[in-house]
Amino acid sequence: MSSTEIRHAGLRFSGVSALFEASRPHNALAAGLSTLVGAVVVAPSGSGVDTHPALSALVATGVVGSMLAVGAANLRNDAVDVWADRVNAPHRPLPRGAASVRQAHVAAWLAMAGAAVCAVIVGLPVGAIGLLALAVSMAYSPYIKSTVLVGNAVVATISALTVPFGAALAGGGTVQAWQRVWFVTLLLALYIGAREVLKCLADEEGDRRAGAVTVVTAWGATAAHRIVGAASALLVLLIIAAVPLFAPSVWRGVGFVLLCSVGAVLPLVMARRTFEGTARRPHDPARGAALRLTKVGGFALLVGALFLVPAAP
Protein backbone atom coordinates (compact mmCIF):
# COMPACT_ATOMS: atom_id res chain seq x y z
CA MET A 1 0.00 0.00 0.00
CA SER A 2 1.40 3.38 -1.02
CA SER A 3 1.77 6.32 1.34
CA THR A 4 -1.11 8.09 -0.44
CA GLU A 5 -3.42 5.09 0.07
CA ILE A 6 -2.39 4.85 3.72
CA ARG A 7 -3.13 8.54 4.19
CA HIS A 8 -6.55 8.20 2.56
CA ALA A 9 -7.35 5.15 4.69
CA GLY A 10 -6.35 7.11 7.79
CA LEU A 11 -8.61 10.00 6.79
CA ARG A 12 -11.54 7.63 6.23
CA PHE A 13 -10.99 6.00 9.62
CA SER A 14 -10.72 9.44 11.23
CA GLY A 15 -14.02 10.45 9.62
CA VAL A 16 -15.80 7.30 10.80
CA SER A 17 -14.40 7.77 14.29
CA ALA A 18 -15.62 11.39 14.33
CA LEU A 19 -19.12 10.35 13.25
CA PHE A 20 -19.17 7.67 15.94
CA GLU A 21 -18.22 10.33 18.49
CA ALA A 22 -20.97 12.63 17.16
CA SER A 23 -23.53 9.85 17.65
CA ARG A 24 -22.86 10.11 21.44
CA PRO A 25 -22.29 6.40 22.14
CA HIS A 26 -22.86 6.91 25.87
CA ASN A 27 -26.39 8.17 25.13
CA ALA A 28 -26.98 5.21 22.85
CA LEU A 29 -25.75 2.89 25.58
CA ALA A 30 -28.19 4.48 28.04
CA ALA A 31 -31.07 3.90 25.59
CA GLY A 32 -30.10 0.26 25.16
CA LEU A 33 -29.77 -0.20 28.91
CA SER A 34 -33.17 1.39 29.61
CA THR A 35 -34.78 -0.94 27.05
CA LEU A 36 -33.16 -3.91 28.77
CA VAL A 37 -34.15 -2.66 32.24
CA GLY A 38 -37.77 -2.41 31.13
CA ALA A 39 -37.66 -6.04 30.03
CA VAL A 40 -36.08 -7.13 33.33
CA VAL A 41 -38.54 -5.19 35.52
CA VAL A 42 -41.62 -6.65 33.83
CA ALA A 43 -40.28 -10.20 33.57
CA PRO A 44 -41.53 -12.86 36.00
CA SER A 45 -39.25 -13.07 39.03
CA GLY A 46 -39.04 -16.85 38.69
CA SER A 47 -37.66 -16.82 35.13
CA GLY A 48 -34.57 -18.92 34.71
CA VAL A 49 -31.41 -17.62 33.09
CA ASP A 50 -31.91 -19.67 29.93
CA THR A 51 -35.56 -18.69 29.51
CA HIS A 52 -35.54 -15.16 30.89
CA PRO A 53 -37.73 -12.93 28.67
CA ALA A 54 -35.15 -10.13 28.90
CA LEU A 55 -32.68 -12.38 27.04
CA SER A 56 -34.95 -13.04 24.07
CA ALA A 57 -33.99 -12.19 20.48
CA LEU A 58 -36.92 -9.76 20.35
CA VAL A 59 -35.56 -7.75 23.29
CA ALA A 60 -32.04 -7.84 21.82
CA THR A 61 -33.42 -6.45 18.55
CA GLY A 62 -35.18 -3.70 20.50
CA VAL A 63 -31.97 -2.82 22.36
CA VAL A 64 -30.04 -2.50 19.08
CA GLY A 65 -32.87 -0.49 17.54
CA SER A 66 -32.97 1.91 20.49
CA MET A 67 -29.23 2.47 20.29
CA LEU A 68 -29.34 3.09 16.54
CA ALA A 69 -32.27 5.48 16.93
CA VAL A 70 -30.43 7.59 19.51
CA GLY A 71 -27.30 7.64 17.37
CA ALA A 72 -29.33 8.73 14.34
CA ALA A 73 -31.08 11.51 16.26
CA ASN A 74 -27.82 12.84 17.70
CA LEU A 75 -26.13 12.89 14.28
CA ARG A 76 -29.14 14.55 12.67
CA ASN A 77 -29.45 17.18 15.38
CA ASP A 78 -25.71 17.94 15.37
CA ALA A 79 -25.88 18.49 11.61
CA VAL A 80 -28.80 20.91 12.03
CA ASP A 81 -27.32 22.68 15.08
CA VAL A 82 -23.76 23.04 13.75
CA TRP A 83 -23.91 26.86 13.74
CA ALA A 84 -24.99 27.04 17.37
CA ASP A 85 -22.47 24.36 18.35
CA ARG A 86 -19.63 26.45 16.96
CA VAL A 87 -20.31 28.70 19.94
CA ASN A 88 -21.71 26.24 22.51
CA ALA A 89 -19.62 23.13 21.81
CA PRO A 90 -16.70 23.84 19.44
CA HIS A 91 -15.05 20.61 20.60
CA ARG A 92 -17.69 18.45 18.89
CA PRO A 93 -16.68 16.69 15.65
CA LEU A 94 -18.71 18.84 13.22
CA PRO A 95 -17.78 22.30 14.57
CA ARG A 96 -14.10 21.36 14.74
CA GLY A 97 -14.17 20.02 11.17
CA ALA A 98 -13.47 16.35 11.91
CA ALA A 99 -16.58 15.39 9.90
CA SER A 100 -18.78 17.31 7.49
CA VAL A 101 -22.46 18.17 7.83
CA ARG A 102 -23.19 16.08 4.74
CA GLN A 103 -21.43 13.05 6.24
CA ALA A 104 -23.41 13.48 9.46
CA HIS A 105 -26.69 13.59 7.52
CA VAL A 106 -25.79 10.45 5.58
CA ALA A 107 -24.73 8.60 8.74
CA ALA A 108 -27.92 9.71 10.49
CA TRP A 109 -30.19 8.38 7.75
CA LEU A 110 -28.25 5.08 7.63
CA ALA A 111 -28.60 4.65 11.39
CA MET A 112 -32.26 5.59 11.14
CA ALA A 113 -32.77 2.95 8.46
CA GLY A 114 -31.17 0.37 10.75
CA ALA A 115 -33.44 1.41 13.62
CA ALA A 116 -36.48 1.23 11.32
CA VAL A 117 -35.53 -2.31 10.27
CA CYS A 118 -35.33 -3.31 13.94
CA ALA A 119 -38.77 -1.76 14.54
CA VAL A 120 -40.24 -3.73 11.64
CA ILE A 121 -38.68 -6.94 12.95
CA VAL A 122 -40.24 -6.60 16.41
CA GLY A 123 -43.63 -6.16 14.72
CA LEU A 124 -46.86 -4.39 15.63
CA PRO A 125 -47.85 -2.56 17.75
CA VAL A 126 -44.53 -2.05 19.56
CA GLY A 127 -42.60 -1.52 16.34
CA ALA A 128 -45.05 1.15 15.17
CA ILE A 129 -44.55 3.07 18.40
CA GLY A 130 -40.80 2.78 17.91
CA LEU A 131 -41.08 4.16 14.37
CA LEU A 132 -43.16 7.10 15.61
CA ALA A 133 -40.62 7.91 18.33
CA LEU A 134 -37.82 7.66 15.75
CA ALA A 135 -39.58 10.11 13.42
CA VAL A 136 -40.17 12.61 16.24
CA SER A 137 -36.56 12.43 17.44
CA MET A 138 -35.24 13.04 13.91
CA ALA A 139 -37.48 16.10 13.65
CA TYR A 140 -36.41 17.57 17.00
CA SER A 141 -33.81 20.16 16.03
CA PRO A 142 -35.41 21.34 12.76
CA TYR A 143 -38.99 21.62 14.02
CA ILE A 144 -39.46 20.94 17.76
CA LYS A 145 -36.51 22.50 19.58
CA SER A 146 -37.83 26.07 19.35
CA THR A 147 -41.04 25.29 21.22
CA VAL A 148 -39.72 26.33 24.65
CA LEU A 149 -40.52 23.70 27.29
CA VAL A 150 -42.41 21.46 24.86
CA GLY A 151 -39.17 20.51 23.14
CA ASN A 152 -37.58 19.50 26.45
CA ALA A 153 -40.66 17.45 27.34
CA VAL A 154 -40.59 15.69 23.97
CA VAL A 155 -36.95 14.66 24.39
CA ALA A 156 -37.58 13.48 27.96
CA THR A 157 -40.69 11.49 26.99
CA ILE A 158 -39.14 9.75 23.99
CA SER A 159 -36.01 8.88 25.95
CA ALA A 160 -37.96 7.49 28.92
CA LEU A 161 -40.35 5.47 26.75
CA THR A 162 -37.52 3.05 25.98
CA VAL A 163 -38.31 1.48 29.38
CA PRO A 164 -41.91 0.40 28.56
CA PHE A 165 -40.69 -0.36 25.02
CA GLY A 166 -38.37 -3.02 26.45
CA ALA A 167 -41.08 -4.25 28.82
CA ALA A 168 -43.52 -4.69 25.94
CA LEU A 169 -40.93 -6.67 23.99
CA ALA A 170 -40.42 -9.01 26.96
CA GLY A 171 -44.19 -9.59 27.10
CA GLY A 172 -46.39 -10.60 29.99
CA GLY A 173 -45.82 -9.15 33.42
CA THR A 174 -48.10 -8.62 36.38
CA VAL A 175 -50.04 -5.43 37.08
CA GLN A 176 -47.56 -4.54 39.82
CA ALA A 177 -44.61 -5.15 37.48
CA TRP A 178 -46.08 -2.75 34.93
CA GLN A 179 -46.72 -0.22 37.70
CA ARG A 180 -43.00 -0.39 38.43
CA VAL A 181 -42.22 0.06 34.72
CA TRP A 182 -44.34 3.20 34.42
CA PHE A 183 -43.00 4.57 37.68
CA VAL A 184 -39.41 4.20 36.47
CA THR A 185 -40.47 5.80 33.19
CA LEU A 186 -41.86 8.78 35.08
CA LEU A 187 -38.67 9.18 37.13
CA LEU A 188 -36.49 8.96 34.04
CA ALA A 189 -38.63 11.45 32.07
CA LEU A 190 -38.57 13.94 34.94
CA TYR A 191 -34.81 13.62 35.31
CA ILE A 192 -34.07 13.93 31.59
CA GLY A 193 -36.44 16.89 31.31
CA ALA A 194 -34.59 18.71 34.10
CA ARG A 195 -31.24 17.94 32.50
CA GLU A 196 -32.48 19.23 29.15
CA VAL A 197 -33.34 22.54 30.81
CA LEU A 198 -29.81 22.67 32.27
CA LYS A 199 -28.46 22.12 28.75
CA CYS A 200 -30.52 25.12 27.62
CA LEU A 201 -28.68 27.18 30.23
CA ALA A 202 -25.34 25.92 28.94
CA ASP A 203 -26.30 26.59 25.30
CA GLU A 204 -27.83 30.02 25.82
CA GLU A 205 -25.26 32.06 23.89
CA GLY A 206 -25.23 29.84 20.80
CA ASP A 207 -29.00 29.40 20.84
CA ARG A 208 -29.53 33.16 20.89
CA ARG A 209 -27.18 33.62 17.94
CA ALA A 210 -28.91 30.82 16.01
CA GLY A 211 -32.35 32.23 16.81
CA ALA A 212 -33.51 29.15 18.76
CA VAL A 213 -36.41 29.71 21.16
CA THR A 214 -35.69 27.76 24.35
CA VAL A 215 -36.69 28.00 28.01
CA VAL A 216 -33.75 30.30 28.68
CA THR A 217 -33.97 32.52 25.60
CA ALA A 218 -37.75 32.90 26.01
CA TRP A 219 -38.28 32.95 29.78
CA GLY A 220 -34.83 33.71 31.20
CA ALA A 221 -32.29 31.87 33.31
CA THR A 222 -34.21 32.41 36.57
CA ALA A 223 -37.22 30.49 35.26
CA ALA A 224 -34.94 27.69 34.08
CA HIS A 225 -33.31 27.42 37.52
CA ARG A 226 -36.73 27.25 39.16
CA ILE A 227 -37.86 24.48 36.81
CA VAL A 228 -34.76 22.40 37.57
CA GLY A 229 -35.18 23.00 41.31
CA ALA A 230 -38.84 21.98 41.25
CA ALA A 231 -38.03 18.86 39.20
CA SER A 232 -35.28 17.89 41.66
CA ALA A 233 -37.62 18.25 44.65
CA LEU A 234 -40.33 16.22 42.93
CA LEU A 235 -37.81 13.50 42.08
CA VAL A 236 -36.85 13.17 45.75
CA LEU A 237 -40.50 12.89 46.81
CA LEU A 238 -41.25 10.27 44.14
CA ILE A 239 -38.16 8.22 45.00
CA ILE A 240 -39.14 8.13 48.68
CA ALA A 241 -42.77 7.34 47.80
CA ALA A 242 -41.65 4.37 45.73
CA VAL A 243 -40.24 2.49 48.72
CA PRO A 244 -43.51 1.52 50.47
CA LEU A 245 -45.28 1.10 47.13
CA PHE A 246 -42.81 -0.98 45.15
CA ALA A 247 -39.77 -2.09 47.15
CA PRO A 248 -40.02 -5.85 47.83
CA SER A 249 -37.77 -5.65 50.91
CA VAL A 250 -36.27 -3.08 53.27
CA TRP A 251 -32.71 -3.41 52.01
CA ARG A 252 -33.80 -3.09 48.41
CA GLY A 253 -35.80 0.01 49.30
CA VAL A 254 -32.83 1.59 51.05
CA GLY A 255 -30.56 0.71 48.13
CA PHE A 256 -33.01 2.27 45.69
CA VAL A 257 -33.28 5.52 47.66
CA LEU A 258 -29.52 5.85 48.15
CA LEU A 259 -28.58 5.06 44.56
CA CYS A 260 -31.21 7.30 42.99
CA SER A 261 -30.74 10.19 45.40
CA VAL A 262 -26.94 10.21 45.40
CA GLY A 263 -26.49 9.10 41.80
CA ALA A 264 -29.22 11.16 40.13
CA VAL A 265 -30.70 13.93 42.25
CA LEU A 266 -27.46 15.11 43.89
CA PRO A 267 -25.62 15.73 40.56
CA LEU A 268 -28.70 17.61 39.31
CA VAL A 269 -28.78 19.84 42.40
CA MET A 270 -25.02 20.42 42.23
CA ALA A 271 -25.20 21.33 38.54
CA ARG A 272 -28.00 23.83 39.21
CA ARG A 273 -25.96 25.49 41.96
CA THR A 274 -22.92 25.61 39.65
CA PHE A 275 -24.91 27.29 36.90
CA GLU A 276 -26.32 29.81 39.37
CA GLY A 277 -22.85 30.58 40.72
CA THR A 278 -21.35 31.06 37.26
CA ALA A 279 -24.21 33.09 35.77
CA ARG A 280 -21.79 35.90 34.83
CA ARG A 281 -19.20 33.43 33.50
CA PRO A 282 -20.97 31.46 30.74
CA HIS A 283 -17.72 29.87 29.54
CA ASP A 284 -16.59 28.71 32.99
CA PRO A 285 -15.25 25.10 32.69
CA ALA A 286 -17.12 24.23 35.89
CA ARG A 287 -20.37 24.36 33.91
CA GLY A 288 -19.24 21.70 31.47
CA ALA A 289 -17.93 19.52 34.29
CA ALA A 290 -21.22 19.81 36.19
CA LEU A 291 -23.27 18.93 33.11
CA ARG A 292 -21.05 15.93 32.38
CA LEU A 293 -21.56 14.73 35.94
CA THR A 294 -25.33 14.67 35.40
CA LYS A 295 -24.84 12.05 32.67
CA VAL A 296 -24.46 9.43 35.38
CA GLY A 297 -27.91 10.26 36.77
CA GLY A 298 -29.87 8.40 34.12
CA PHE A 299 -27.71 5.31 34.60
CA ALA A 300 -28.18 5.57 38.38
CA LEU A 301 -31.97 5.64 37.99
CA LEU A 302 -31.92 2.65 35.66
CA VAL A 303 -29.69 0.58 37.94
CA GLY A 304 -31.75 1.71 40.93
CA ALA A 305 -34.86 0.36 39.19
CA LEU A 306 -33.44 -3.14 39.54
CA PHE A 307 -33.68 -2.78 43.33
CA LEU A 308 -37.46 -2.66 42.90
CA VAL A 309 -37.53 -6.09 41.24
CA PRO A 310 -38.29 -9.00 43.59
CA ALA A 311 -35.48 -11.53 43.83
CA ALA A 312 -36.06 -14.84 42.09
CA PRO A 313 -37.06 -17.58 44.57
Side-chain angles (χ1 to χ4, degrees):
M1 183 180 288
S2 66
S3 60
T4 302
E5 290 174 327
I6 292 174
R7 185 166 61 253
H8 286 166
L11 289 172
R12 285 195 296 270
F13 176 79
S14 176
V16 171
S17 176
L19 290 172
F20 179 71
E21 180 187 345
S23 72
R24 316 271 216 292
H26 55 276
N27 287 353
L29 179 62
L33 178 61
S34 60
T35 303
L36 183 60
V37 166
V40 171
V41 171
V42 83
S45 59
S47 300
V49 174
D50 296 333
T51 59
H52 201 289
L55 300 178
S56 70
L58 207 60
V59 172
T61 302
V63 168
V64 173
S66 296
M67 295 175 70
L68 286 172
V70 169
N74 284 328
L75 285 163
R76 163 78 166 164
N77 293 328
D78 269 18
V80 173
D81 290 340
V82 65
W83 294 106
D85 284 345
R86 284 174 178 166
V87 176
N88 295 330
H91 61 280
R92 287 181 178 173
L94 270 63
R96 72 171 189 258
S100 69
V101 171
R102 181 179 177 277
Q103 289 173 327
H105 276 302
V106 171
W109 289 112
L110 287 174
M112 189 199 76
V117 168
C118 291
V120 171
I121 291 174
V122 301
L124 296 172
V126 182
I129 296 172
L131 286 173
L132 177 61
L134 177 62
V136 172
S137 63
M138 293 292 282
Y140 172 72
S141 276
Y143 308 110
I144 304 174
K145 180 178 179 178
S146 289
T147 53
V148 195
L149 203 56
V150 174
N152 303 129
V154 167
V155 171
T157 301
I158 291 177
S159 301
L161 282 177
T162 50
V163 178
F165 178 71
L169 291 176
T174 63
V175 172
Q176 190 175 34
W178 271 99
Q179 288 175 341
R180 292 190 183 100
V181 166
W182 287 114
F183 187 82
V184 172
T185 303
L186 175 62
L187 289 181
L188 196 59
L190 190 59
Y191 179 84
I192 294 172
R195 188 175 185 274
E196 286 295 311
V197 174
L198 278 175
K199 287 168 65 177
C200 289
L201 283 164
D203 294 344
E204 179 181 2
E205 184 179 352
D207 285 342
R208 287 191 185 279
R209 291 191 185 185
V213 184
T214 68
V215 173
V216 180
T217 61
W219 297 347
T222 301
H225 287 302
R226 287 174 179 170
I227 291 170
V228 175
S232 302
L234 184 55
L235 268 172
V236 172
L237 293 176
L238 289 173
I239 289 167
I240 294 173
V243 175
L245 293 174
F246 300 116
S249 65
V250 174
W251 75 267
R252 282 176 177 263
V254 171
F256 172 76
V257 170
L258 288 177
L259 186 57
C260 292
S261 298
V262 176
V265 180
L266 184 59
L268 203 61
V269 171
M270 291 172 62
R272 176 175 175 264
R273 290 179 63 87
T274 298
F275 274 83
E276 285 181 326
T278 58
R280 298 182 181 276
R281 303 190 304 277
H283 299 290
D284 194 312
R287 287 188 157 206
L291 201 55
R292 286 192 294 273
L293 181 62
T294 62
K295 289 181 180 180
V296 304
F299 288 100
L301 287 173
L302 291 171
V303 175
L306 299 179
F307 282 83
L308 300 181
V309 181

